[in-house]
Amino acid sequence: MSLAPAEFAPETVYLNTASHGLPPARALAALREVQDRWAAGRGAPMVHDDLVPAIRTAFARLIDGATADHIGLGSTVSALIAPVAAALPAGAEVLVAEGEFASVTMPFLFRGDLAVRTVPLERLAAEVRPETALVAVSVVQSADGRIADTASLREATRAHGAKLLLDATQAAGWFPLRFADADYWVCASFKWLIGARSVAFFAATPEAADELRPVGPGWYAAEDRWAELYSPVALPSTARRFDQTPDWLGVVVASSALELIEELTIEKIHGHNLGLAERFRAGVVDLGYQPLAQASAIVTVPGADAAAERLERAEVLASARAGGLRFSFHLYNTDTDVDRALAALGERRGAGI
């Protein structure tokens, strides 16, 4: 069964969290209340700025060892990566994985004067060398759910004096994370954190953060933002100096969503998601497919793109990726969802394919 049946009631078999998560009922209720008060002229969304410290702290708790002082708030992963890209000297080598999601690679590729080197994910740690300045990679790969060996990457980058940036967008919310495993972290909240597209997080160790300067800081990044609206004086010493002005409606949603995830615990969600994914993986093997990745909540099935229309008719929502279909399993999914997806895929045998 679902881990939170009172919070979710999808009308479809929703196996597309890797694209966008479903909002919990409590988040929608909180959002409606704010919108109603706003429409009635009884308060603008920004009166809920008091929720920002709370979500900063809540996200820190998802990365074991982090504190609120390590966390900056933004709206997109690529914009939060910008200070890291800007701090690199011209000609610096940035190592990325083949097939990495574009939000991770584009800030480096299109700076124009960096040496971006692409290697297979499995060889990423082995390819770190003395000239490597930074390794940037997603903890869980968007395209196929493969999981990066962060321990080996941390060892390799330290051995060669390189920095490590991890994108936790496809991991935070179901996968255990350790702050010590990277110098920099970025994460969007609208996928496995079941939050809002307009809220994203940045995290950095104090030592790594001291090597960066905010790119285009706005009023919200000031040391005393409300006192410095017209006469800015200083930026904070914490990662808050990387803050971008928040979308407070998104903050309201993120606050409720993070609350639910914390109640359920990452450990419980991790076990639930992997159990469903493994059940599905075994089923697609029986159907003659060869799914990618192991021990991941994301299962990509190469060659299943021909079944996309059948899945759509059966109201099973997945994503087309590189000639295959990507299925993702989260806290609102059930064994029944797995069985319905397998039944829709299994129609291929009846067609004699």
Side-chain angles (χ1 to χ4, degrees):
M1 64 180 292
S2 161
L3 288 183
E7 295 284 353
F8 303 96
E11 297 177 355
T12 65
V13 177
Y14 191 81
L15 303 178
N16 202 23
T17 299
S19 291
H20 209 301
L22 298 180
R26 68 178 71 181
L28 294 177
L31 180 61
R32 289 189 198 102
E33 182 179 351
V34 173
Q35 290 175 316
D36 288 346
R37 288 182 59 81
W38 181 19
R42 298 186 179 278
M46 66 189 299
V47 302
H48 296 281
D49 193 58
D50 62 307
L51 294 177
V52 171
I55 67 168
R56 200 188 303 273
T57 300
F59 181 73
R61 285 194 290 263
L62 292 178
I63 309 180
D64 186 37
T67 70
D69 283 347
H70 299 135
I71 310 300
L73 183 71
S75 56
T76 67
V77 159
S78 55
L80 290 171
I81 290 175
V84 180
L88 294 169
E93 178 177 278
V94 179
L95 193 62
V96 300
E98 288 180 356
E100 180 59 73
F101 191 71
S103 290
V104 175
T105 58
M106 286 180 69
F108 305 105
L109 281 170
F110 293 105
R111 205 190 91 163
D113 61 352
L114 299 175
V116 179
R117 187 160 62 97
T118 303
V119 301
L121 178 68
E122 293 75 14
R123 289 200 48 78
L124 205 56
E127 291 288 341
V128 181
R129 55 192 186 184
E131 30 306 28
T132 304
L134 177 79
V135 178
V137 65
S138 294
V139 177
V140 177
Q141 290 290 294
S142 169
D144 52 31
R146 288 177 300 157
I147 298 173
D149 185 348
T150 56
S152 294
L153 283 169
R154 177 78 289 193
E155 182 179 358
T157 51
R158 282 179 170 160
H160 293 288
K163 291 290 192 296
L164 177 59
L165 182 150
L166 295 179
D167 181 352
T169 299
Q170 297 287 6
W174 74 272
F175 190 80
L177 304 169
R178 296 191 320 145
F179 187 55
D181 283 346
D183 300 288
Y184 307 112
W185 294 81
V186 289
C187 181
S189 75
F190 66 93
K191 296 179 186 286
W192 304 88
L193 292 179
I194 55 176
R197 181 173 281 276
S198 59
V199 176
F201 297 98
F202 172 78
T205 64
E207 299 77 16
D210 285 346
E211 297 184 14
L212 309 181
R213 297 182 65 182
V215 176
W219 71 274
Y220 199 81
E223 174 68 58
D224 187 346
R225 61 176 69 99
W226 301 108
E228 300 178 33
L229 287 174
Y230 303 105
S231 55
V233 175
L235 294 173
S237 59
T238 67
R240 193 168 64 77
R241 66 185 181 274
F242 300 104
D243 279 3
Q244 300 162 2
T245 306
D247 165 28
W248 287 280
L249 293 177
V251 167
V252 168
V253 172
S255 176
S256 295
L258 287 167
E259 176 187 72
L260 175 60
I261 287 173
E262 196 158 17
E263 287 175 8
L264 295 173
T265 74
I266 294 299
E267 180 181 16
K268 188 172 183 179
I269 297 171
H270 181 258
H272 174 84
N273 292 5
L274 288 188
L276 295 177
E278 289 306 314
R279 178 187 178 98
F280 179 74
R281 186 175 285 108
V284 295
V285 169
D286 288 344
L287 292 174
Y289 292 107
Q290 295 298 317
L292 301 176
Q294 298 290 329
S296 177
I298 297 174
V299 182
T300 294
V301 184
D305 52 325
E309 290 186 9
R310 291 200 305 276
L311 288 166
E312 186 175 352
R313 288 196 299 272
E315 294 195 302
V316 176
L317 274 70
S319 297
R321 288 294 184 273
L325 291 177
R326 182 187 66 185
F327 301 81
S328 38
F329 300 86
H330 203 16
L331 57 92
Y332 32 70
N333 292 126
T334 66
D335 287 345
T336 300
D337 291 341
V338 173
D339 294 343
R340 283 183 59 186
L342 290 173
L345 278 174
E347 291 177 16
R348 69 193 292 269
R349 285 186 172 174
I353 296 175

